[in-house]
Amino acid sequence: METAPFQFTCSTTPLSLPPNFILPEDKRPHISQVSTLNSIPIIDLNDQIHASENGDFPSLLVEKISRACEEYGFFQIINHGVPQELCNKMMTVSTHFFELPFEQKKQFFTTDFTKQVKLFNYYLNTHGQEKVNTWSQSFSHPGHPIEDLSHLLPENPPQYREVFGEYAKEIGALMNRLLSLISQSLGLEKECLLKRLGENPSLKLQANYYPPCPEPELTLGLGSHTDVDALTILCQSEGVSGLQVIKNGKWVAVDPVPNAFVINLGDQIQVLSNGRYKSVQHRAVTNKVKRISLAMFYGPSMDAVIGPIQELVDEAHPPVYRNYRFAELREEFDRQRGTRRMVKEVFELPKN
Ligand SMILES: O=C(O)CCC(=O)C(=O)O
Ligand SMILES: [Fe+2]
């Protein structure tokens, strides 16, 4: 039997935080001390004005991406070509889904993480204490090939399947464009990352709903983690800040920029780039008002062999990781569930 999930919504916010959401003192977010001054770079995807005509020199855009990937592992993009109206619709259908009465979405609720389509609650394991729930609910499902999976998606709200289908196509195309730019930013041929990630890559959605929280300083929306796949495109509610990333050992808020996506590099790009680009720790804090984020993850084919790309390895940069099949890493990822994961670290080669 599944236990009843966390199901507060805007209309049922308690006045104080129930005890099973309260983090021990040393795990609390200290939101008031988080800097918003030093945020992540904002990159205009139309910004190609200084590209050399024959393509011999990296364009200004590629240089900006290279710097953002090296220094932050995170950036925001504007003028990305995905219609704003579609992003708004995707936000709306996701919000409606989360705010349905539990009866109408309970068929998706599960604690079995191997399910493809799942509505679930995250929790943190804390030392010597019971599990602490995080103040969020997440809904996750595949995004490709849409023709084969549409029937698995919610029938309610009625527009969900159609809107998600369109959104997934647009985001899939943007993933390809970004992977090509990131390849170039590493000095590699455009197709390099795409090829290395294999012929059957995965595209997955994780929608995160953070209801209004009575005491945001006592809990977290999503604990600190890195994204395990290759690349993440995240759309966040306008006007509400919640995402934070580590920069120089300190938490920095990633305030939403109108019509922008947040891009972050996942663990597989860190490995493929031989550690030159980092998959950075991030988390979500809660607010007195609700917030929603829609993360789309692009991951390698299960049979893709992931390891440092040959061109990025030389005497000065010996390989940091051994090659592995992506399926092997996913097994390790599942083994480490419930812990503060160190997955790619298992594939590190000994340092000489
Ligand atoms: O809500 C956010 O901004 C963070 C979401 C996130 O990190 C994730 O879904 O992996
Ligand atoms: Fe994440």
Side-chain angles (χ1 to χ4, degrees):
M1 255 274 288
E2 304 285 10
T3 49
F6 164 50
Q7 51 182 307
F8 297 122
T9 60
C10 287
S11 52
T12 59
T13 310
L15 290 173
S16 63
L17 206 61
N20 54 326
F21 290 91
I22 300 181
L23 286 166
E25 189 86 43
D26 61 322
K27 297 274 189 310
R28 292 182 191 164
H30 302 286
I31 301 168
S32 61
Q33 290 164 28
V34 171
S35 162
T36 49
L37 294 176
N38 179 9
S39 201
I40 62 171
I42 298 168
I43 296 180
D44 184 338
L45 284 198
N46 279 344
D47 202 355
Q48 293 195 322
I49 27 179
H50 296 304
S52 69
E53 263 169 32
N54 55 10
D56 280 351
F57 301 102
S59 68
L60 181 62
L61 174 63
V62 168
E63 275 177 24
K64 281 187 182 167
I65 288 181
S66 165
R67 230 173 305 134
C69 290
E70 223 150 2
E71 290 175 22
Y72 292 84
F74 262 86
F75 50 96
Q76 304 212 49
I77 53 170
I78 52 173
N79 291 321
H80 43 66
V82 180
Q84 192 51 40
E85 201 191 331
L86 179 58
C87 301
N88 296 344
K89 279 194 202 159
M90 190 57 213
M91 274 285 178
T92 304
V93 293
S94 303
T95 309
H96 283 171
F97 175 74
F98 282 116
E99 293 181 350
L100 286 174
F102 184 62
E103 277 303 303
Q104 289 180 39
K105 53 182 182 181
K106 73 172 183 206
Q107 79 211 77
F108 298 108
F109 183 77
T110 182
T111 51
D112 176 359
F113 278 90
T114 62
K115 291 240 171 91
Q116 286 224 13
V117 182
K118 49 188 177 279
L119 177 67
F120 58 98
N121 301 127
Y122 278 110
Y123 56 83
L124 302 173
N125 281 321
T126 54
H127 260 306
Q129 215 187 306
E130 295 278 287
K131 287 174 186 169
V132 177
N133 294 304
T134 54
W135 194 257
S136 60
Q137 186 152 94
S138 298
F139 183 49
S140 158
H141 60 72
H144 175 82
I146 196 70
E147 297 72 21
D148 299 348
L149 63 92
S150 197
H151 66 286
L152 303 173
L153 304 184
E155 282 179 285
N156 198 0
Q159 310 82 354
Y160 190 95
R161 293 178 177 179
E162 191 191 335
V163 172
F164 177 72
E166 274 179 55
Y167 188 73
K169 277 200 185 118
E170 289 283 343
I171 297 291
L174 183 58
M175 286 284 185
N176 287 349
R177 199 167 150 211
L178 286 166
L179 285 168
S180 146
L181 285 164
I182 295 169
S183 290
Q184 289 175 277
S185 79
L186 286 163
L188 304 167
E189 62 157 87
K190 276 185 180 178
E191 304 294 317
C192 183
L193 283 172
L194 212 57
K195 280 190 198 152
R196 287 298 303 258
L197 293 167
E199 286 183 1
N200 295 303
S202 68
L203 186 66
K204 277 172 289 178
L205 170 80
Q206 181 170 313
N208 305 296
Y209 180 79
Y210 309 96
C213 180
E215 292 170 288
E217 284 287 10
L218 302 186
T219 191
L220 274 169
L222 219 58
S224 178
H225 66 282
T226 62
D227 291 350
V228 67
D229 283 319
L231 195 63
T232 306
I233 298 183
L234 184 108
C235 177
Q236 49 175 342
S237 298
E238 269 192 36
V240 191
S241 185
L243 175 62
Q244 301 183 344
V245 305
I246 290 272
K247 172 72 179 152
N248 301 332
K250 292 208 171 81
W251 288 108
V252 170
V254 180
D255 290 335
V257 167
N259 306 343
F261 287 121
V262 177
I263 309 301
N264 71 293
L265 306 178
D267 292 350
Q268 306 318 307
I269 298 267
Q270 174 161 336
V271 173
L272 287 160
S273 73
N274 199 27
R276 182 160 142 197
Y277 288 174
K278 298 281 187 297
S279 163
V280 171
Q281 291 280 335
H282 54 284
R283 68 182 185 185
V285 298
T286 61
N287 289 272
K288 297 255 174 187
V289 292
K290 76 174 164 192
R291 173 172 177 271
I292 291 186
S293 68
L294 306 171
M296 291 284 281
F297 306 117
Y298 186 97
S301 297
M302 280 298 173
D303 61 356
V305 175
I306 304 294
I309 291 172
Q310 209 54 47
E311 288 97 315
L312 304 176
V313 175
D314 57 29
E315 234 175 277
H317 307 92
V320 179
Y321 303 94
R322 73 163 171 86
N323 285 352
Y324 52 83
R325 273 187 326 113
F326 185 60
E328 225 186 304
L329 181 130
R330 284 299 313 197
E331 279 167 26
E332 184 59 35
F333 181 83
D334 291 338
R335 243 194 309 278
Q336 293 190 24
R337 189 167 302 287
T339 67
R340 176 105 182 229
R341 286 190 173 101
M342 305 275 273
V343 181
K344 58 188 171 311
E345 288 75 3
V346 170
F347 300 88
E348 277 178 13
L349 290 167
K351 289 192 185 82
N352 285 322

